[in-house]
């Protein structure tokens, strides 16, 4: 029984899984990565609106499937809306009367993370 050189070469070994693949496969790692992605994304969104795109991209990248990535991005958008309403404090009661402006805020909070979630379809 002689071993062939091709069988023992490093190129025939299975490729090691990437860190992102491990995060997508293991629920505990995925939960931690999602929490970090949401926290960093919402922190960025408090500074600039592109943070919502980054939050959607980061949240969707840790999702096991592309469809779940879209759901994670929508969840980030809902959390951004809740954070916005909480940051207004007592003034949040007048939001229903500000219809044109609130439509833009809701559309941006849901649409921009969805735009970011397109990263999951690429990577």
């Amino acid at each position: 029984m002689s071993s062939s050189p091709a069988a023992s070469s490093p190129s025939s070994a299975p490729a090691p899984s990437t860190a992102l693949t491990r995060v997508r496969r293991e629920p505990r790692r995925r939960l931690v990565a999602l929490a970090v992605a949401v926290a960093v994304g919402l922190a960025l969104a408090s500074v600039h609106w592109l943070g919502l795109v980054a939050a959607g991209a980061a949240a969707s990248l840790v999702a096991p499937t592309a469809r779940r990535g879209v759901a994670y991005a929508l969840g980030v958008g809902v959390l951004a809306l809740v954070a916005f309403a909480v940051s207004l404090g007592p003034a949040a009661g007048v939001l229903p009367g500000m219809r044109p402006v609130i439509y833009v805020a809701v559309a941006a909070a849901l649409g921009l993370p969805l735009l970011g979630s397109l990263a999951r379809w690429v990577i």
Side-chain angles (χ1 to χ4, degrees):
M1 299 211 120
S2 67
S3 66
S4 68
S8 63
S9 71
S11 63
S12 66
S17 67
T18 64
L20 187 58
T21 303
R22 279 184 270 138
V23 166
R24 288 177 179 166
R25 288 185 182 163
E26 298 175 21
R28 178 168 282 183
R29 287 182 189 221
R30 183 171 55 242
L31 182 64
V32 170
L34 181 61
V36 169
V38 168
V40 170
L42 290 180
L44 287 172
S46 70
V47 177
H48 196 273
W49 61 268
L50 279 175
L52 288 171
V53 177
S60 69
L61 283 176
V62 300
T65 65
R67 289 181 190 228
R68 275 200 186 167
V70 170
Y72 288 3
L74 280 174
V76 168
V78 169
L79 280 174
L81 280 176
V82 169
F84 172 67
V86 168
S87 72
L88 291 176
V94 298
L95 284 179
M98 301 175 62
R99 292 188 193 223
V101 174
I102 208 65
Y103 291 156
V104 172
V106 170
L110 297 178
L112 291 174
L114 280 177
L115 176 66
S117 74
L118 292 174
R120 176 62 174 93
W121 292 82
V122 175
I123 298 175

